[in-house]
Each structure stands twice: as structure tokens, then as C-alpha cells.
């Protein structure tokens, strides 16, 4: 509830929303999934972020996208890193010979 913290989140969401709006306009996904520790902020992040994305999108684009937290929360980053490590090592059977 601190005013400076709220202003920081608003500024963060404005910048992230601009980037995500560009990706939505380019790729037209139906979902944007945010993971890692930042996703734990919940409604304090996702409400302002969704509004920032909507403000930045061109008006002619359909509004069918959703911005959601990753199901694995902060562990999504670790799971992704582990998957890459397995893929590029002999343990994951995708390693180089």
C-alpha cells in the first residue's frame, strides 16, 4: 500500500505492458503467461499489467488474449532451466556426441 511502491509497480507495468502489447500485436497469442518470482505479486501485478497491455494494443486487434500467472509460479524458471539442461546433456539423451 506504500505510494512509492505502487508508483514503481505502475511504471513497471507500463513498460512491460508496452513490450507485451507489441508481441501480442505481432504474434497474436491467446495467452501471455508470466512466471518466476514476479508472478507471485498476484493481483497487484496482473491488474495493472492487463490494463497497460490493453491501452497499448492497436484498436483493430481482437481482444481475445489473456495474461495469466504461470501454473508453476516461481518454479517455472527453474523447471525451464532444468529442461534445457536435460535437453543439451547426455543425461537428457539430446546431448552432443
Amino acid at each position: 500500500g506504500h505510494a512509492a511502491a505502487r508508483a514503481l509497480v505502475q511504471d513497471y507495468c507500463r513498460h512491460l505492458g508496452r513490450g507485451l502489447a507489441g508481441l501480442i500485436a505481432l504474434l497474436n497469442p491467446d495467452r501471455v503467461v508470466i512466471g518466476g518470482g514476479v508472478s507471485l505479486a498476484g493481483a497487484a501485478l496482473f491488474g495493472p499489467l492487463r490494463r497497460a497491455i490493453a491501452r497499448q494494443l492497436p484498436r483493430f486487434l481482437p481482444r481475445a488474449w489473456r495474461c495469466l500467472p504461470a501454473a508453476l509460479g516461481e518454479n517455472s524458471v527453474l523447471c525451464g532451466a532444468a529442461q534445457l539442461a536435460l535437453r543439451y546433456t547426455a543425461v537428457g539423451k539430446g546431448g552432443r556426441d
Side-chain angles (χ1 to χ4, degrees):
H2 192 274
R6 279 196 313 268
L8 182 64
V9 169
Q10 290 293 330
D11 193 48
Y12 174 80
C13 288
R14 183 173 52 86
H15 291 292
L16 182 57
R18 181 180 298 138
L20 290 174
L23 288 173
I24 291 169
L26 180 66
L27 302 173
N28 195 26
D30 61 349
R31 289 183 184 96
V32 174
V33 180
I34 306 292
V38 71
S39 68
L40 299 178
L45 171 77
F46 285 95
L49 182 56
R50 289 178 185 123
R51 288 189 295 275
I53 292 169
R55 279 192 302 269
Q56 297 291 329
L57 279 175
R59 301 288 177 225
F60 61 84
L61 286 178
R63 301 284 176 166
W65 57 271
R66 294 172 48 193
C67 183
L68 307 166
L72 296 174
E74 65 181 322
N75 293 328
S76 61
V77 175
L78 293 174
C79 290
Q83 181 63 36
L84 281 174
L86 285 173
R87 183 179 296 167
Y88 292 104
T89 63
V91 175
K93 299 178 185 165
R96 297 183 184 127
D97 295 328

